[in-house]
């Protein structure tokens, strides 16, 4: 079946993988993904970065595949904070390449690392992570870029306070989970969220998909992170955004062509593609 075609009257829109760690795949896998992207019904990917080396790798991929790869530069919070010199070098490099980046990301707060430390009875200082996140938020403001956030549950509340402090509206909380009050606040602020393939089997995500405004959602894979259920044992691929769209369409009671059109339009609008 042609993945870009629905019925004769309702053509399928392509999709955008709004969050993928493209540089974390092997070179062979990168080539496999990118060479078949359009045939898979995916117009492009937002390639988020883990650190400075990751950002440089994603820039190189974007230079090789400019119509397919849109790079975001940042520092993933589920890892030790770099030293001051490394942080300064990263921000200096990001400023130098601001015209090359579509967004600041992935940045945020270390929820899962903190939970692991707490469960092990170990101390954990979140303050340096909050300070670094604020620097990224200020950078996004100064460079007029969207920001891609890893901030779930109570960490999302902290992130929202920092976004409000710096008057940031263009925020994307990827693979988000949070309390009903936080969900309502984020929707009122116009922050976008994105769903991964686990929307097919995770009740928590399905409930979020039922209530979050359709104008504020996107599809993602967070690849190469692996998924369970019908995706067990498969390499995570941007084509799985089609499964996200299908599940979301059922939850929302939309036709699949309409659901894909909305997800595609939201990503295009938010990222200015």
């Amino acid at each position: 079946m042609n993945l870009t075609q629905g019925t004769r009257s309702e053509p399928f829109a392509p999709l955008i993988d709004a969050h993928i760690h493209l540089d974390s795949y092997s070179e062979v896998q990168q080539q496999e993904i990118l060479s078949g992207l359009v045939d898979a019904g995916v117009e492009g990917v937002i390639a988020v970065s883990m650190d400075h080396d990751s950002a440089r790798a994603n820039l190189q991929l974007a230079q090789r595949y400019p119509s397919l790869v849109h790079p975001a530069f940042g520092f993933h919070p589920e890892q030790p904070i770099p030293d001051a010199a490394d942080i300064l070098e990263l921000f200096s490099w990001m400023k130098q390449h601001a015209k090359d980046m579509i967004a600041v990301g992935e940045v945020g707060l270390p929820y899962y690392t903190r939970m692991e430390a707490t469960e092990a009875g170990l101390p954990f200082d979140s303050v340096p992570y909050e300070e670094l996140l604020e620097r990224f938020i200020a950078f996004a403001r100064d460079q007029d870029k969207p920001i891609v956030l890893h901030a779930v549950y109570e960490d999302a509340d902290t992130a929202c306070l920092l976004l409000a402090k710096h008057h940031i509206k263009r925020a994307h909380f990827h693979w988000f989970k949070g309390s009903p009050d936080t969900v309502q606040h984020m929707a009122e602020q116009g922050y976008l969220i994105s769903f991964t393939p686990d929307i097919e089997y995770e009740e928590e995500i399905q409930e979020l998909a039922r209530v979050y405004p359709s104008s504020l959602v996107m599809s993602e894979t967070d690849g190469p992170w692996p998924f369970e259920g019908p995706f067990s044992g498969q390499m995570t691929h941007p084509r799985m955004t089609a499964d996200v769209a299908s599940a979301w369409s059922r939850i929302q009671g939309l036709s699949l062509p309409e659901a894909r059109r909305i997800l595609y339009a939201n990503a295009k609008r938010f990222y200015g593609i």
Side-chain angles (χ1 to χ4, degrees):
M1 184 180 87
N2 185 340
L3 293 178
T4 61
Q5 189 70 33
T7 67
R8 289 178 182 271
S9 60
E10 292 186 286
F12 279 178
L15 291 166
I16 292 171
D17 187 338
H19 190 102
I20 186 172
H21 295 269
L22 189 59
D23 67 297
S24 294
Y25 290 87
S26 70
E27 289 187 15
V28 170
Q29 290 171 330
Q30 290 169 8
Q31 178 62 31
E32 176 187 340
I33 289 169
L34 293 170
S35 63
L37 208 59
V38 174
D39 287 342
V42 181
E43 185 177 276
V45 303
I46 308 301
V48 297
S49 301
M50 294 287 292
D51 53 27
H52 195 176
D53 287 342
S54 175
R56 283 190 287 247
N58 280 319
L59 176 58
Q60 291 175 355
L61 285 166
Q63 290 169 339
R64 288 170 56 195
Y65 303 94
S67 64
L68 300 178
V69 180
H70 309 285
F73 305 144
F75 180 83
H76 196 294
E78 301 285 358
Q79 55 187 332
I81 291 281
D83 63 33
D86 288 340
I87 292 173
L88 183 61
E89 183 181 6
L90 173 58
F91 277 99
S92 176
W93 185 89
M94 287 172 57
K95 186 174 182 179
Q96 179 185 351
H97 292 282
K99 63 178 176 49
D100 301 312
M101 63 194 294
I102 202 165
V104 174
E106 175 175 5
V107 299
L109 296 169
Y111 177 83
Y112 299 106
T113 302
R114 189 176 71 252
M115 290 301 100
E116 288 178 4
T118 300
E119 290 170 5
L122 300 173
F124 189 88
D125 186 4
S126 295
V127 172
Y129 290 91
E130 294 174 13
E131 291 174 345
L132 182 57
L133 173 57
E134 184 165 9
R135 288 184 66 176
F136 280 119
I137 289 173
F139 182 92
R141 177 202 64 206
D142 294 344
Q143 298 297 325
D144 192 24
K145 299 289 183 180
I147 189 163
V148 187
L149 292 157
H150 170 98
V152 297
Y153 300 115
E154 60 265 29
D155 282 355
D157 300 319
T158 302
C160 285
L161 289 173
L162 293 173
L163 291 170
K165 177 179 178 180
H166 293 276
H167 308 288
I168 296 292
K169 290 294 186 181
R170 289 194 294 165
H172 168 199
F173 287 73
H174 101 96
W175 206 343
F176 174 73
K177 303 97 173 170
S179 71
D181 287 344
T182 303
V183 168
Q184 181 178 346
H185 172 76
M186 286 171 49
E188 289 171 350
Q189 295 303 308
Y191 299 149
L192 274 79
I193 65 173
S194 52
F195 302 116
T196 71
D198 77 343
I199 192 175
E200 285 275 13
Y201 56 85
E202 287 287 354
E203 290 185 9
E204 180 182 21
I205 302 302
Q206 291 167 351
E207 177 57 29
L208 178 60
R210 272 188 277 273
V211 301
Y212 213 77
S214 62
S215 61
L216 300 176
V217 300
M218 299 181 287
S219 53
E220 64 154 300
T221 63
D222 200 25
W225 186 270
F227 291 93
E228 301 172 6
F231 313 103
S232 182
Q234 298 181 39
M235 180 187 79
T236 299
H237 189 289
R239 65 171 171 263
M240 292 177 181
T241 54
D243 298 288
V244 174
S246 180
W248 186 70
S249 73
R250 294 193 302 271
I251 291 167
Q252 286 283 312
L254 297 169
S255 70
L256 183 54
E258 177 66 4
R260 289 179 62 119
R261 184 194 66 76
I262 292 170
L263 293 169
Y264 174 68
N266 290 348
K268 293 271 283 188
R269 182 184 69 251
F270 179 80
Y271 280 109
I273 297 172

